[in-house]
Amino acid sequence: MTRHSAALRSPALLALVLGAVAATGFAPLDIWPATLIGLAGFAWLVHDAPRLKSALWRGWLFGLAHFTVNSNWIQHAFDFQSAMPPALGYVACVALGLYLAVFPMLAAGIAWRLGRRAGFVPDAAFILILAAAWIGTEWLRSVLFTGYAWDPIGVVWLPVQAFAGIAAWVGTYALSGLTVAMAGLMPVLARRRWWMALPALAVPALLQPLSYLRPTSPQIAASTPRVRVVQPDIGQEDRSEDDGPRVLDALLKRSGAPGPAPRLIVWPEGVVRDYIEDGYPRWIYGLHSARSVRAQIASVLGPRDIALVGGTALAFDRDDSITSAANSVFAIGAAGRIVGRYDKAHLVPYGEYLPLRWLLEPIGLSRLVPGDIDFVDGPGPANLTLPGFGAVGIQICYEIIFSGRTVDPAHRPRLLFNPSNDAWFGTWGPPQHLAQARMRAIEEGLPIVRATPTGISAIIAADGRLLATVPHETAGAIELPIPPALPPTLFSRIGNPMAALVALLFVGLAVALRRRSR
């Protein structure tokens, strides 16, 4: 092993640049080789640090640039909040990056402390320990303080279906660790034989065109249940109380006409302004009773059709004052009756509730979603059992990003419905959100149907392929036979303990390599 003599003049600046470069591998840019290059430089930069403090600092700067660039869409949410200036959105992007950068920092510190050999260049053992630490810290990011699992590194492989498919076996967090290992080992191998590093870039590049091939569709009977996804292209600014009738009319017009097969018609989150349930105080309903709204929805349904409609459910005290709200999906049958309801379980902090309201509200902070009443959480991943369609799992918006926590393990559904309100998310957020839904399809072996107000709505096959989409900021609808589910994947049976197993395997290999080199 040769002694390391490289001297970095500006390691802090380089860490920032590498973090930003690594962020370009995610949607909408999808430059996955840039992520590998960024991670490879990150690994060497961490190993080059003379002290633990320097390694932590470099890891934190890498994460700061990485998450600030990747989460730039958050600024757009502030454009719709009158209580806070839009310019505060830019501060929020950086502030979120300041926090999320802690996790690459921890991975860097663990790798430096446990895997670095002073005076030497990085070896395979160091890279494997870094990859194991990355798995652990990425999982920690998904659970700490309710979790923020947006864009784990493994998502960059979606353009290369063969690599993304590894998630069906080990899950997204383990795939992220494999990606860090692949990237970090490129220069390690190149130091021995330059051409040994080529497969890390060349093999995925050669496999990428295969991702666009589509298998021949089997013959489908005319009676096979279908799903129809409606995207009205109604922006957040066009959804006031006065816009309710126009929005409902736009949804109804694109819901199609009944046919010989039962249809599952799915609408987005956050567009129906009227209340769906009966039994509320009269002052709540205004001009439109819940029964009349449901009757309008039922008017486009055939006798075996069911509509899944996003809405808000309210709870009241004895004085008819609102005590809480739930972000819900209602299943409405052809007779205009509610046949099922799901309440969102994993709520968005600062979006659906304000953490530490007693402290933050007096200093002028508020939720990004207008309103003073916080939403309450539902019981967790659950299904709606719908006549003619079977068990349909529901994951509202943000819930779909949490690997291993999207399906009721005791009752596997035939598909997942993911209504979302991506109108808040600018131009980068919607494709990133869609990408994470595709990863859940791969992990669970289940088709996923996404409906959003402004895009990107999609019907996703159980292997993560996009079967049909409505583009961003486009009004339209897509309808297909409900895609079949695959047999339960290894990951769907075991879950995130698979990530722990892969991390332990990396650590074991690292120990074995070090002992062998002595």
Side-chain angles (χ1 to χ4, degrees):
M1 191 78 69
T2 58
R3 290 192 170 271
H4 184 35
S5 59
L8 296 172
R9 294 183 179 179
S10 302
L13 178 60
L14 182 57
L16 289 168
V17 170
L18 290 171
V21 167
T24 65
F26 294 88
L29 301 180
D30 289 323
I31 311 173
W32 58 263
T35 299
L36 295 183
I37 293 170
L39 290 172
F42 168 69
W44 280 64
L45 194 62
V46 169
H47 189 278
D48 183 79
R51 297 180 301 277
L52 175 61
K53 183 179 179 180
S54 301
L56 293 170
W57 174 240
R58 295 176 186 186
W60 186 82
L61 289 172
F62 176 91
L64 173 62
H66 180 77
F67 290 114
T68 300
V69 170
N70 217 28
S71 301
N72 69 79
W73 54 269
I74 288 174
Q75 185 282 323
H76 192 64
F78 285 76
D79 293 340
F80 306 102
Q81 174 53 271
S82 59
M84 294 181 288
L88 190 59
Y90 297 101
V91 177
C93 291
V94 178
L96 181 62
L98 293 174
Y99 161 64
L100 296 177
V102 168
F103 298 98
M105 180 189 78
L106 290 175
I110 292 169
W112 191 94
R113 173 63 73 187
L114 300 181
R116 179 179 182 268
R117 291 201 295 178
F120 291 83
V121 296
D123 61 353
F126 171 79
I127 299 300
L128 290 171
I129 291 174
L130 177 61
W134 192 281
I135 292 172
T137 55
E138 198 167 81
W139 172 83
L140 186 64
R141 174 163 68 91
S142 77
V143 298
L144 198 63
F145 305 123
T146 79
Y148 186 78
W150 195 268
D151 277 352
I153 287 289
V155 175
V156 303
W157 289 114
L158 275 169
V160 187
Q161 195 76 31
F163 274 67
I166 296 172
W169 297 87
V170 297
T172 301
Y173 305 135
L175 180 57
S176 295
L178 290 167
T179 306
V180 172
M182 177 187 295
L185 288 172
M186 283 194 303
V188 173
L189 295 173
R191 199 172 65 250
R192 298 182 179 181
R193 297 286 188 276
W194 67 268
W195 51 266
M196 293 178 69
L198 292 181
L201 291 173
V203 172
L206 293 172
L207 289 174
Q208 185 167 355
L210 299 179
S211 302
Y212 301 104
L213 299 179
R214 295 289 181 266
T216 303
S217 299
Q219 285 294 114
I220 297 175
S223 60
T224 300
R226 303 176 68 85
V227 61
R228 184 178 181 89
V229 184
V230 178
Q231 180 172 300
D233 193 28
I234 301 292
Q236 195 67 32
E237 67 279 6
D238 298 322
R239 280 182 251 162
S240 67
E241 296 298 333
D242 294 336
D243 291 317
R246 180 178 60 83
V247 172
L248 183 59
D249 185 61
L251 291 163
L252 293 170
K253 284 183 176 178
R254 288 176 175 81
S255 294
R263 298 179 306 153
L264 189 63
I265 299 172
V266 298
W267 289 1
E269 175 197 27
V271 289
V272 176
R273 309 301 296 179
D274 297 294
Y275 293 103
I276 304 294
E277 291 183 306
D278 297 315
Y280 295 168
R282 286 189 177 182
W283 62 269
I284 286 289
Y285 296 112
L287 298 176
H288 309 285
S289 70
R291 183 174 297 180
S292 68
V293 173
R294 296 199 305 269
Q296 291 183 72
I297 296 171
S299 69
V300 298
L301 302 180
R304 295 184 294 165
D305 295 348
I306 291 178
L308 294 179
V309 178
T312 302
L314 301 177
F316 299 84
D317 61 18
R318 292 181 178 180
D319 297 325
D320 286 343
S321 297
I322 301 173
T323 57
S324 64
N327 187 353
S328 305
V329 167
F330 300 93
I332 300 174
R337 286 193 286 267
I338 296 174
V339 296
R341 170 182 146 187
Y342 169 85
D343 294 340
K344 186 176 183 182
H346 204 136
L347 302 177
V348 183
Y350 302 99
E352 291 161 315
Y353 69 99
L354 183 65
L356 302 174
R357 179 177 286 275
W358 60 271
L359 173 65
L360 300 180
E361 195 170 47
I363 63 174
L365 295 181
S366 62
R367 288 173 15 202
L368 295 177
V369 178
D372 297 324
I373 299 174
D374 286 339
F375 286 78
V376 295
D377 53 345
N383 304 328
L384 296 179
T385 301
L386 306 177
F389 299 95
V392 176
I394 313 290
Q395 289 285 283
I396 298 177
C397 197
Y398 178 73
E399 292 183 300
I400 201 69
I401 73 172
F402 293 94
S403 173
R405 290 186 278 165
T406 56
V407 173
D408 179 357
H411 304 93
R412 180 175 166 86
R414 70 176 298 180
L415 80 156
L416 288 174
F417 172 44
N418 175 223
S420 183
N421 183 7
D422 287 1
W424 302 86
F425 290 3
T427 56
W428 281 48
Q432 290 179 5
H433 205 177
L434 173 63
Q436 289 165 107
R438 294 176 64 189
M439 291 302 293
R440 300 295 86 74
I442 293 170
E443 288 177 338
E444 301 293 343
L446 293 173
I448 294 179
V449 178
R450 271 180 56 79
T452 72
T454 59
I456 304 167
S457 298
I459 299 174
I460 306 168
D463 60 2
R465 290 177 296 114
L466 293 175
L467 300 178
T469 62
V470 184
H472 190 222
E473 296 184 341
T474 302
I478 47 179
E479 183 175 327
L480 288 174
I482 293 178
L486 295 174
T489 65
L490 181 64
F491 180 80
S492 71
R493 294 178 183 275
I494 298 177
N496 281 319
M498 286 300 301
L501 289 175
V502 173
L504 289 173
L505 175 62
F506 284 164
V507 171
L509 286 173
V511 171
L513 288 171
R514 282 288 165 84
R515 288 181 175 177
R516 182 181 178 185
S517 64
R518 288 177 181 173

